[in-house]
Structure formats: structure tokens, C-alpha cells
Amino acid sequence: MNSLNISRPRVALFEPRIPQNTGTIGRSCLAFNLPLDIIKPTGFSFEDKYLKRAGLDYWANVDLHLYESFEEYKNSFKSSRIIALTKKSDNSISNLVYKETDILLFGREDTGLPDNIMNSSEIVAGIPMPGGENQLKACGVRSLNLSVACGIVCYSACLQLNLLCK
């Protein structure tokens, strides 16, 4: 739906499992005018009522693209950098210099991104969590919800690229 015809980062979900997260991410992508790419298989049907409920009546307007595999996806965007987002990285998203052609790749809710996917990405980064388990041990948060993490990264990229007013 990029009606403004400007290059913008892409959001990619690798094998998402929870329809509510995907619906919420779709709605966020629409709000930031970013395309949403989904790499199959998914843990739900695109007819799922929870997907549609989380995306509200906006779901039909999401610039959605489906891919059968990561290999197909990567081959479709050879001139783009893939930024793998994971809780396993000490490289903070605040250290990144985003490009308008970047792909913001997020993993499954249950297992994240596999090592082979992260290894084939140009950059691996994460969201710093001062209240995370690395800092607070047993009482720290293990991870952020996928849709929350996606919203944080999308906002950060769009803010840095000055895309929030375009």
C-alpha cells in the first residue's frame, strides 16, 4: 500500500505461530506504511478469526506478501540488507544505521530465528532490556512479545530514516 512511492524498510516474519501477533504486526506495518512479508510455514490460517480481530478492519489494507521459504525470500531481495532481530544479540538496535532498503526480520514466537538464518543475515541486533533476565537474572523478563518488539524496531527505523512525516 506504499502510496507515497518512497523506499521504506520491510518487516519480515519468519514462520510466525500466533495469529494475534501477526494481526497486530500487520496493523503496525500499515500505520508505519511498511510492507509485511511472511515466510511460511505459519502456525495458523490466514482465515483465522484471531488474525483478523487483531488486525481489525485494517487487515485487508496491509501490504502483505507471502513466501514459501527463507531461500525464496532472500533471493527476492538480493540488494537489501537483512537485519535479524533476536534477544540473543548484544548489538543494540540503537547502534544501527538503517537504510530504506533494509529488511527487519523477526523469528518465531516460540523459538526465535534459527542460527542458520541469523548467520545468513547481514546484521544481527536486539532490543536492550534493562529489566531482562541477563541483568536481573531469575526475576528478569525473558523476552518481549513479538508484536511489541516489532513495533519498537519499526518506530526506531522510521524515526532514524525520517519516515514518520512522509
Side-chain angles (χ1 to χ4, degrees), residues 38-58:
I38 296 180
I39 303 164
K40 294 180 180 181
T42 64
F44 53 86
S45 158
F46 283 90
E47 298 305 312
D48 193 295
K49 68 180 178 179
Y50 298 110
L51 173 78
K52 291 180 180 179
R53 184 177 299 150
L56 298 176
D57 53 341
Y58 306 117

Side-chain angles (χ1 to χ4, degrees), residues 85 89-98 123-129:
L85 285 307
S89 179
D90 291 328
N91 181 23
S92 172
I93 60 168
S94 62
N95 296 330
L96 300 180
V97 177
Y98 295 100
I123 298 173
V124 178
I127 300 167
M129 292 191 306

Side-chain angles (χ1 to χ4, degrees), residues 75-90:
N75 288 333
S76 298
F77 298 99
K78 291 185 179 191
S79 62
S80 294
R81 287 188 315 182
I82 295 179
I83 301 174
L85 285 307
T86 176
K87 72 174 191 172
K88 300 173 188 173
S89 179
D90 291 328

Side-chain angles (χ1 to χ4, degrees), residues 80-139:
S80 294
R81 287 188 315 182
I82 295 179
I83 301 174
L85 285 307
T86 176
K87 72 174 191 172
K88 300 173 188 173
S89 179
D90 291 328
N91 181 23
S92 172
I93 60 168
S94 62
N95 296 330
L96 300 180
V97 177
Y98 295 100
K99 297 179 180 179
E100 291 177 345
T101 56
D102 282 342
I103 293 169
L104 309 172
L105 177 65
F106 297 86
R108 290 172 48 153
E109 293 93 339
D110 55 352
T111 58
L113 288 168
D115 288 340
N116 67 315
I117 301 295
M118 286 192 284
N119 292 337
S120 67
S121 299
E122 286 72 20
I123 298 173
V124 178
I127 300 167
M129 292 191 306
E133 65 185 357
N134 290 343
Q135 281 69 31
L136 301 178
K137 306 298 179 222
C139 63

Side-chain angles (χ1 to χ4, degrees), residues 1-11 26 29-37 60-65 77 100-102 158 161 163-166:
M1 177 184 157
N2 186 357
S3 60
L4 301 175
N5 274 338
I6 14 183
S7 187
R8 302 179 80 81
R10 305 181 75 83
V11 172
C29 285
L30 187 60
F32 290 118
N33 195 22
L34 303 176
L36 174 59
D37 303 327
N61 298 319
V62 174
D63 185 8
L64 178 66
H65 307 269
F77 298 99
E100 291 177 345
T101 56
D102 282 342
C158 288
L161 292 167
L163 296 174
L164 297 175
C165 297
K166 295 181 182 177

